[in-house]
């Protein structure tokens, strides 16, 4: 099918590449001319495993092309809207880019009217699909669908090619059939429903995952007080098939572009309908206080951080991405500096963003180098390069052998044997 994808960020680019890999003829549209120029050369503006190679392949095959002007895609049967819906000042989702894209589609449609579907992939408040349908009501033959994405950064391409489910919200069976045709061959359960349900499925999924994490983080605080082990507890819980093992890892809190933004947007949406989502409110509160709780654990061992050197290992909000949005590392570095510590940080690819915010700290070429002379090392992101270290060598190089593991990812038995004092999140 002929498909246009508007917006070439994480979601748009991954969607465009995966659709092209699945045999569709795809046109990627972005307003940013320099980005389009790079994409045409096969250079992805984001780091995402496998994406560069896949992008080059579909460009070479002629299955994907990029433009700044939407009229280049005037023959498209399907228009995907994948633009950002950032958090507005009041916490609601800002729909400026999305509504701009809808109005552009309306203009293009009038140049070349035909049966087509406008698909909203961006995460939007319930009712947005309805609003967009209203805006396009004068466009003969145009249907509006909601088709939320569930892509995890770091494995976005695999998630797009092998999704856990495909959720399609439509208001007519013809549009449902066309969307089924688009995903023909992709093995995944389908949920075909109305637009509002599809929109809420997205927010509810992210809010629930965030809830699991905050639940475990709060439980980890109790586990620390009791001297129990949260990793063993999570395993024991996760073996219950009703609970399942995923998203039970306690740590320094969730970050990224989705959970923080989507949880506040859902709270706001509910508030507009006079519903207080009290559990979600607490989820956010636990997440906001988790970095400070984590630093308290460090301070129990090093009460005065003034003049102490701390190694911060991992800066991105999770491994395998260059994304530092809402990364717990940012809060932790700020707190450490406020307490008078000096910081040496390492991340395989996340340094450039963080160094703009914190030019005063030292960035090293390796995790081991960050630990040299440190009074403590904290693990913030479980990159392999931060987890697999020569512990005996690191032990020799540190001023004080203290490891505080914010992801429960260091081999605690091995590091204890190497002589370290090891503290995890909720670990005995
Ligand atoms: C998330 C959703 O998983 C995805 O479906 C959605 O479409 C976009 O938002 P993403 O933000 O890329 O994806 O990352 P994810 O793997 O979900 O992790 C989010 C945060 O939670 C990270 O900071 C991660 O470190 C943290 N996390 C995750 C935990 O602290 N514990 C866990 O058990 C799992």
């Amino acid at each position: 099918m002929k498909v246009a994808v508007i917006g070439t960020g994480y979601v748009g680019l991954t969607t465009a590449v995966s659709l092209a890999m699945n045999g569709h003829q795809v046109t990627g549209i972005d307003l940013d001319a320099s980005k389009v120029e790079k994409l045409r050369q096969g250079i992805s503006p984001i780091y995402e495993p496998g994406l560069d190679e896949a992008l080059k392949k579909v460009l070479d095959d002629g299955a994907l092309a990029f433009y700044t002007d939407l009229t280049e895609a005037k023959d498209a049967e399907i228009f995907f809207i994948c633009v950002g819906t950032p958090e507005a000042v009041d916490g609601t989702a800002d729909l400026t880019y999305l509504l701009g894209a809808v109005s552009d589609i309306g203009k293009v449609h009038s140049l070349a009217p035909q049966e087509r579907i406008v698909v909203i992939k961006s995460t939007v408040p319930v009712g947005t699909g309805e609003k967009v349908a209203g805006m396009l009501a004068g466009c003969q033959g145009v249907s509006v669908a909601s088709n939320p994405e569930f892509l995890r950064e770091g494995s976005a391409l695999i998630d797009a090619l092998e999704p856990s489910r495909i959720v399609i919200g439509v208001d007519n069976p013809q549009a449902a059939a066309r969307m089924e045709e688009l995903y023909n061959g992709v093995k995944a359960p389908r949920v075909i429903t109305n637009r509002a349900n599809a929109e809420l499925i997205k927010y509810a999924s992210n809010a629930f995952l965030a809830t699991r994490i905050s639940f475990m983080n709060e439980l980890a605080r109790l586990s620390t007080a009791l001297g129990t082990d949260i990793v063993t507890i999570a395993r024991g819980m996760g073996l219950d098939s009703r609970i399942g093992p995923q998203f039970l890892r306690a740590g320094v809190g969730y970050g990224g572009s989705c959970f923080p933004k989507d949880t506040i947007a859902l709270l706001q949406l509910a508030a507009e309908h006079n519903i207080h989502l009290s559990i979600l409110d607490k989820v956010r509160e636990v997440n906001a206080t988790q970095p400070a709780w984590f630093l308290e654990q460090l301070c129990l061992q090093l009460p005065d951080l003034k003049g102490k050197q701390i190694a911060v290992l991992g800066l991105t909000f999770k491994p395998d991405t260059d994304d530092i949005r809402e990364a717990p590392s940012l809060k932790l570095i700020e707190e450490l500096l406020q307490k008078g510590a000096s910081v040496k940080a390492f991340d395989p690819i996340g340094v450039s963003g963080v160094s703009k915010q914190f030019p005063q700290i030292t960035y090293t070429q390796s995790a081991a180098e960050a630990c040299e002379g440190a009074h403590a090392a904290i693990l913030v992101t479980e990159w392999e390069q931060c987890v697999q270290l020569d512990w005996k060598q690191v032990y020799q190089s540190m001023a004080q052998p203290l490891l505080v593991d914010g992801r429960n990812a260091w081999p605690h038995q091995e590091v204890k044997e190497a002589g370290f004092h090891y503290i995890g999140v909720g670990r005995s």
Side-chain angles (χ1 to χ4, degrees), residues 149-153 202 206 209 213 247-249 253-255 258-259 317-318 407:
E149 53 83 16
F150 301 99
L151 310 176
R152 291 163 301 173
E153 290 182 25
K202 168 66 198 224
N206 275 356
L209 292 171
I213 298 170
F247 280 73
L248 295 181
R249 281 179 286 117
Y254 61 74
C258 290
F259 290 175
F317 85 96
K318 64 187 256 188
R407 294 292 178 182

Side-chain angles (χ1 to χ4, degrees), residues 245-264:
Q246 300 214 47
F247 280 73
L248 295 181
R249 281 179 286 117
V252 282
Y254 61 74
S257 65
C258 290
F259 290 175
K261 170 174 80 76
D262 293 351
T263 47
I264 182 92

Side-chain angles (χ1 to χ4, degrees), residues 7-18 30 32 34-36 38-39 42-56 66 82 149 151-158 160 257 316-317 320-325 349-350 352 383:
T8 59
Y10 279 103
V11 174
L13 185 55
T14 311
T15 302
V17 170
S18 62
D30 204 290
D32 184 338
S34 64
K35 201 172 172 186
V36 164
K38 283 202 172 126
L39 286 166
I43 304 167
S44 161
I46 50 160
Y47 173 78
E48 189 60 46
L51 191 59
D52 269 329
E53 299 78 0
L55 172 64
K56 286 197 182 83
F66 292 98
C82 300
E149 53 83 16
L151 310 176
R152 291 163 301 173
E153 290 182 25
S155 53
L157 191 59
I158 291 175
S257 65
T316 52
F317 85 96
D320 289 325
T321 175
D322 56 355
D323 198 340
I324 57 155
R325 283 177 285 180
I349 54 174
S352 66
W383 283 97

